[in-house]
Each structure stands twice: as structure tokens, then as C-alpha cells.
Amino acid sequence: MLIVPEREIADLMTRDAAFDAVEKVFAAMASGDAYNFPVVREAIGHEDALYGFKGGFDQAGLTLGLKAGGYWPNNLEKRGLINHQSTVFLFDPDTGKAKAMVGGNLLTALRTAAASSVSIKHLARSDSKVIGMVGAGHQATFQLRAALEQRNFEKVIGWNYHPEMLPNIEKVANEAGLPFEAVDLPGLTEADVIISITSAFAPSVMAEHISEGTHIACMGTDTKGKQEVEAALLVKADVFTDEVAQSISIGEAQHAVAQGLIKETDVAQLGAVINGTIAGRTSDDQITLFDGTGVGLQDLAVAASVVDLAVEKGIAIEVDF
Ligand code: NAD
């Protein structure tokens, strides 16, 4: 079995490799070559932790496995560790033998950033110039950094519930040589592309804050009860997702579906757009919305890619198992 420790991931994994892995696996999911197993997520009654498994099998890429981990809210304060902790385990689909164990913390950030980037590539207007960020936490910096590679953006604007956190994304914009402007919510109408990545349980972004022709990637809602945008926006927009079952149960679409505003059949797989079996953006005034819920196959895809890179560079640790 091969081990790729968390400390090695930053030097091994690239944004390009994460993008390719996620784009391919979204396509495989839509063509029926890959499927995600039901998600397990439990409050374990210890350290206030949420722990669970996300797994799946990709028959095209021959990737089988799971990501185990979750959220330990006391880690940072008590132990100086980050609160999100995860590890990916890959298995040989021919034999069931454990194949690799890979640190999953940075990979989670990179695969989540890759998902909104893939949605921008396939759904945003090609002449998009202004990108808007809703959220300025840990994950927002990764989303913005990856998104800036998808279009010739000229300006970054941002709104955050905690405005004192906005310098986090201003720094990323400036590093890319772009100006940053903090805006109020109505100011988001200037954006051609928006990424929302917050832990909110009530919507901040209303339908009136989104201009015609905008692409919005909603990335924060990955649990029942969370919500970033007004349900009415999903009526105005054409809605795409990584996985329809997750979108309508734990994703942003859960609210619009529960309120009877849209139906499950109104939510399309981004992978089908990638495969060319359905249309993505068909006009310059259409609003497209990507509901990125985060699937296990994304984790497996980036982990498999990093194992290949680690083997290539002689960094993977081999153990008898
Ligand atoms: P973080 O704690 O670093 O940042 C949280 C962000 O949410 C901050 O911008 C904060 O200001 C904002 N926020 C907090 N309360 C809010 C409220 N009431 N209204 C509006 N905004 C509020 O967290 P993070 O690591 O950046 O993760 C952000 C979210 O993304 C989390 O909910 C996490 O579960 C989710 N996430 C999703 C995926 C996926 O695949 N879809 C992957 C990783 C993380």
C-alpha cells in the first residue's frame, strides 16, 4: 500500500491536475460510468465532532474508495490543528486490497475550487470581466485563485457577512494583479461570475442581486438546512449541479424543491454539459447557477491523481499491508 502524507500534498498537487481530475469525473458521473455511494455524516457525541464517509466507484478511471473525516470544532483552540480533518483511502477495484492512503485536507480545498472552476469554464459567458465573491473564509481564497484562471477577469468584487475577513480575498486578487472592491449586496449586480462559499443557514444573496447573463457557483451549501441564495433565484436561473440527488437534499436546490418552486427534473448535471449531451449556456442574458455540493468521487479523483504524481516523483511511502 502507498501512503501520501498531508505534508507532501502542497508540493505535489497542482490546480491544473485538480481541474482535470474533477472535470473528468463529473463527465463520468453523467455518462453513468461513475457513481457516488450514499453519504454518511454523524454527530459522534465526542468533541462536538461531525464525522462521516463519502465514497464511490469510477469504472472509467478505475477508482474505488472513500474519504473519511469531518469537522472537529475544538481542534484549533485546543490542539493547534485545523478543524476540518480528512483522509482518502483508495482500493484496488480488481481485488479489494487497500491501495493508498492520502492526506485529504488540502485536496478537499483544491477539489472544491476545481468544481466551481469547471462550472465557470462550461457555463460563464466567455466575455466575463468582473468576478464577485460572497464569502471570505478559508475556502474562498482557493475558489477565487482557481476561478481567476478561467476567464480574463479585470476586477474582483466581494461581500462578506464578516467584512473584517475581506482582506483574505483582496490579497488573492492583488496577487493576481487585479483590483479588489468591497461592495454591498446590491453591488453584486456588477459581477459576470459570482462564487458563494459561506457556512450560512439563511440566504444573503437575493434574486435581485444577480444580473442577467451572470453565472453563479453556489459552493457553501453541503448540508441540510444550509442556504446561501434566495430560493426564487433558482426559478430565474438554469440550475446545474455535480449530483442531482445531493443538490435536492443537501445542496442549494433543497429549498426551492421543498417549496415546490422547482422540480428535481429542473436540475441538470454539469457532467452532461461537459459531455455535450445537454446544452449549457445558450444565450448571453441567461442566468446559470451551479449547485456544487461536493461528491466523494471528486475526492477520489484528486487523490488518485496525487498518488500518480507521488509515485512519479518517488515520494510515495510503500508499506507492506
Ligand atoms: P470558514 O469558516 O473559513 O468561512 C466561513 C464563511 O462563511 C466566512 O466567509 C463567514 O464570514 C461566512 N459566514 C459565516 N456565517 C455566516 C452567515 N450567517 N451568513 C453569511 N455568511 C456567513 O469556512 P470555509 O472553510 O471557507 O467553508 C465555507 C463553507 O463551504 C462551509 O459551509 C463548508 O461546509 C463549505 N464547503 C463546501 C464544499 C463543497 O464541496 N461544496 C467543500 C468544502 C467546504
Side-chain angles (χ1 to χ4, degrees):
M1 184 172 90
L2 299 170
I3 299 176
V4 185
E6 183 69 43
R7 64 170 184 274
E8 303 289 2
I9 306 291
D11 287 336
L12 282 172
M13 197 59 184
T14 62
R15 281 195 295 279
D16 280 353
F19 183 97
D20 287 346
V22 169
E23 188 180 46
K24 272 200 191 88
V25 85
F26 281 174
M29 281 161 55
S31 59
D33 286 330
Y35 72 107
N36 291 289
F37 304 153
V39 175
V40 173
R41 199 163 165 87
E42 296 286 323
I44 59 172
H46 180 74
E47 288 287 349
D48 296 324
L50 284 175
Y51 173 69
F53 315 107
K54 279 185 169 184
F57 179 42
D58 177 358
Q59 199 143 18
L62 285 183
T63 314
L64 172 69
L66 60 92
K67 178 169 83 170
Y71 187 71
W72 275 259
N74 307 321
N75 270 2
L76 190 60
E77 216 165 285
K78 274 193 179 171
R79 301 183 179 87
L81 293 171
I82 62 169
N83 293 348
H84 289 277
Q85 289 292 333
S86 63
T87 308
V88 181
F89 297 88
L90 299 175
F91 296 85
D92 182 339
D94 296 332
T95 62
K97 263 182 75 82
K99 200 166 141 184
M101 182 168 102
V102 185
N105 296 349
L106 179 58
L107 284 183
T108 299
L110 291 171
R111 65 80 148 143
T112 306
S116 51
S117 281
V118 170
S119 83
I120 293 167
K121 173 181 169 186
H122 292 279
L123 296 172
R125 289 193 340 267
S126 54
D127 64 348
S128 297
K129 296 280 181 252
V130 178
I131 181 163
M133 294 299 298
V134 175
H138 173 73
Q139 193 59 46
T141 58
F142 287 89
Q143 304 299 136
L144 178 58
R145 207 168 280 128
L148 291 177
E149 287 162 357
Q150 292 307 314
R151 292 290 185 270
N152 290 320
F153 290 111
E154 293 174 355
K155 182 180 175 186
V156 180
I157 62 176
W159 176 88
N160 194 44
Y161 186 74
H162 303 102
E164 68 278 8
M165 293 169 80
L166 284 171
N168 292 339
I169 51 172
E170 177 168 16
K171 187 164 171 266
V172 175
N174 293 163
E175 277 167 7
L178 296 178
F180 174 81
E181 189 189 328
V183 295
D184 55 12
L185 284 163
L188 289 174
T189 49
E190 190 190 343
D192 305 303
V193 171
I194 294 174
I195 299 174
S196 62
I197 180 82
T198 70
S199 49
F201 278 81
S204 305
V205 178
M206 300 294 151
E208 72 199 40
H209 299 144
I210 306 299
S211 298
E212 285 189 349
T214 300
H215 172 63
I216 176 165
C218 301
M219 303 302 299
T221 298
D222 55 0
T223 304
K224 203 168 171 53
K226 280 189 183 174
Q227 187 174 10
E228 299 190 286
V229 306
E230 185 185 18
L233 178 62
L234 283 88
V235 180
K236 275 177 85 174
D238 286 298
V239 182
F240 301 86
T241 188
D242 40 22
E243 165 92 49
V244 176
Q246 287 196 185
S247 169
I248 62 168
S249 56
I250 59 168
E252 200 59 48
Q254 63 179 292
H255 307 286
V257 170
Q259 290 165 32
L261 298 175
I262 63 167
K263 299 188 296 296
E264 178 174 348
T265 48
D266 294 324
V267 182
Q269 268 186 300
L270 178 59
V273 178
I274 297 169
N275 288 334
T277 52
I278 63 166
R281 171 170 293 280
T282 50
S283 78
D284 277 355
D285 54 9
Q286 177 188 11
I287 296 173
T288 51
L289 184 150
F290 174 64
D291 184 6
T293 63
V295 294
L297 283 169
Q298 267 172 276
D299 297 301
L300 305 188
V302 289
S305 169
V306 96
V307 169
D308 288 346
L309 291 166
V311 169
E312 218 173 86
K313 296 198 171 171
I315 287 168
I317 301 163
E318 195 161 357
V319 291
D320 248 349
F321 184 73

